[in-house]
Amino acid sequence: NAGVMQNPRHLVRRRGQEARLRCSPMKGHSHVYWYRQLPEEGLKFMVYLQKENIIDESGMPKERFSAEFPKEGPSILRIQQVVRGDSAAYFCASSPKQGRANQPQHFGDGTRLSIL
Amino acid sequence: QKEVEQNSGPLSVPEGAIASLNCTYSDRGSQSFFWYRQYSGKSPELIMSIYSNGDKEDGRFTAQLNKASQYVSLLIRDSQPSDSATYLCGGETSGSRLTFGEGTQLTVNP
């Protein structure tokens, strides 16, 4: 499968624990985006990363949330001290290196995070 | 004002009819627009992209963009029950992130 790979598909955490969500972009893609989707709502942008750089984190909550895309390995979205309101589907998308500004983003299957 | 707004749903059409989905945007700097289809519990799937004023056709799908009116639409001809899904309109704003509307839920009745 050469698509965007996210894991785990489902993640259950208790309040106060940490959640780590992983995303491997499509082969040849160097741009990664994270989105959150609350039940019955649209997709909300969180953060845009390239290798070792955070390009735009304007959609990230100021506290408890962080993201990285290291030189080696997948992109990680980390949520510390989770609360019930963090329950959502988290989608990762990737696009190719920007030769043009309008390369479509392709989405992974998402991680469904449930907080008990 | 929301950056991207979609016509309120849900939208219900009979099989074989044309489904019309509409979207307006507020950022005049947006250059690229995308329509994604999302089945319940699944990930968004890219079905159309449009960058220039006018129409773009791909099979039963036609995307229309009018930058002067800040309006994007998606027409689905000969609608099929398998087209029943939520359709998300996304506009590319500064820095390449996508801003999505709330989605329009389409039901095609056999």
Side-chain angles (χ1 to χ4, degrees):
Chain A
N1 187 347
V4 179
M5 302 299 291
Q6 289 189 249
N7 68 82
R9 292 290 303 277
H10 300 274
L11 182 61
V12 180
R13 286 286 178 267
R14 297 187 180 280
R15 282 178 295 171
Q17 292 184 319
E18 179 179 288
R20 283 188 178 229
L21 289 61
R22 295 175 183 77
C23 169
S24 295
M26 285 180 71
K27 187 176 181 180
H29 287 193
S30 57
H31 298 247
V32 166
Y33 311 80
W34 286 92
Y35 295 85
R36 177 166 64 177
Q37 187 172 40
L38 295 169
E40 308 301 323
E41 293 190 12
L43 286 163
K44 303 296 183 187
F45 168 80
M46 300 182 73
V47 63
Y48 163 35
L49 309 104
Q50 296 176 26
K51 286 285 187 182
E52 301 183 280
N53 283 303
I54 297 175
I55 308 301
D56 180 355
E57 57 180 348
S58 58
M60 286 272 274
K62 297 289 185 245
E63 297 179 349
R64 302 187 299 109
F65 285 72
S66 62
E68 62 177 2
F69 189 14
K71 186 177 182 180
E72 301 292 337
S75 175
I76 306 285
L77 179 66
R78 182 183 178 201
I79 311 173
Q80 295 177 289
Q81 299 175 353
V82 296
V83 301
R84 289 233 171 98
D86 297 332
S87 295
Y90 291 82
F91 290 98
C92 172
S94 72
S95 67
K97 182 176 181 179
Q98 280 187 310
R100 296 160 52 196
N102 48 16
Q103 296 289 346
Q105 296 177 21
H106 296 270
F107 283 81
D109 287 337
T111 294
R112 272 77 179 168
L113 176 64
S114 298
I115 308 302
L116 302 180
Chain B
Q1 181 185 7
K2 292 182 180 178
E3 290 186 60
V4 177
E5 291 199 61
Q6 295 186 237
N7 55 325
S8 59
L11 177 65
S12 181
V13 300
E15 184 174 356
I18 296 175
S20 177
L21 305 164
N22 303 311
C23 174
T24 58
Y25 61 95
S26 60
D27 183 358
R28 285 196 172 273
S30 296
Q31 295 294 318
S32 308
F33 299 89
F34 306 91
W35 283 98
Y36 288 82
R37 176 176 62 198
Q38 187 176 27
Y39 293 113
S40 181
K42 302 295 184 182
S43 62
E45 174 192 6
L46 178 70
I47 54 172
M48 287 288 283
S49 59
I50 187 164
Y51 314 119
S52 305
N53 275 328
D55 296 358
K56 179 182 178 182
E57 187 173 320
D58 183 0
R60 295 186 296 111
F61 299 96
T62 299
Q64 299 173 319
L65 173 60
N66 183 326
K67 291 187 177 182
S69 302
Q70 296 176 244
Y71 176 87
V72 190
S73 67
L74 180 70
L75 299 177
I76 307 175
R77 290 182 301 280
D78 188 23
S79 296
Q80 302 297 309
S82 60
D83 295 326
S84 299
T86 296
Y87 288 79
L88 300 169
C89 170
E92 187 175 23
T93 53
S94 60
S96 300
R97 65 183 176 96
L98 289 178
T99 300
F100 287 93
E102 294 299 314
T104 299
Q105 185 177 341
L106 172 67
T107 300
V108 180
N109 300 303

